[in-house]
Amino acid sequence: MKKAEKIILYTAAGGIIVFILRCIADAVLDRFRAPLPDYFGLAYMSPWGALVVICVLAQIGVLMSVLLRRRRNSGKKEISRGYTVSFICSFIPFVLLVAYSAYCMKAGFYFLWSVSYGWEAFEDAFMIMGLVFIIIPVFPFCVFWQVFYIVRRIKARKRLKAERS
């Protein structure tokens, strides 16, 4: 593992530890009036939550880079079939969101005190459920994996082309 990768990995781990300590400190200052997992949920909706998502993405990126480099150095293909399948599977949440929004066009989308049908229901369902998938970091992880895969695929093709010539 390169020195820069270790620095990113340890800095990201430090960010996650700071998030956990912040949540525990909030619980202690509040005298544990709610269960401890509730404090993690509240902190996740703050800038501390953005910090923990960025730290997790950084760790995943570094670990995947190390894993792919090891595969390349051992003589295996850098992008295997498993990575390609996971790339294709990363589109499933987007497809499910569109399918759910299309279903709401006919069945109606219930939100708060109103019901909407047709194109309005599609828009409402798409926007609100999309926001939920962003708050629960499904879409950020999927997009991160898609960008990471595409960049790695392009680099692998360039490297293979350079080796052939």
Side-chain angles (χ1 to χ4, degrees), residues 41-134:
L42 291 172
Y44 183 73
M45 300 302 290
S46 70
W48 295 98
L51 171 73
V52 81
V53 169
I54 290 169
C55 290
V56 168
L57 290 175
Q59 286 188 330
I60 291 171
V62 167
L63 294 175
M64 290 304 298
S65 293
V66 169
L67 183 68
L68 293 174
R69 188 177 328 112
R70 284 183 186 166
R71 285 184 59 84
R72 185 179 63 235
N73 292 341
S74 67
K76 297 179 184 175
K77 288 173 106 177
E78 188 172 345
I79 303 294
S80 67
R81 183 179 307 245
Y83 291 117
T84 305
V85 169
S86 67
F87 172 72
I88 293 168
C89 288
S90 69
F91 288 98
I92 290 174
F94 297 106
V95 172
L96 290 176
L97 177 63
V98 171
Y100 175 73
S101 298
Y103 167 77
C104 287
M105 288 176 75
K106 173 113 172 92
F109 181 68
Y110 298 87
F111 184 68
L112 295 178
W113 300 277
S114 65
V115 180
S116 55
Y117 294 94
W119 183 251
E120 185 180 352
F122 183 87
E123 290 176 338
D124 293 345
F126 191 84
M127 185 172 33
I128 291 171
M129 294 309 293
L131 183 64
V132 168
F133 278 149
I134 289 173

Side-chain angles (χ1 to χ4, degrees), residues 78 152-163:
E78 188 172 345
R152 283 302 184 174
R153 181 89 178 201
I154 291 170
K155 284 185 177 182
R157 283 187 177 174
K158 284 183 180 179
R159 191 175 299 113
L160 186 63
K161 191 175 183 180
E163 289 174 1

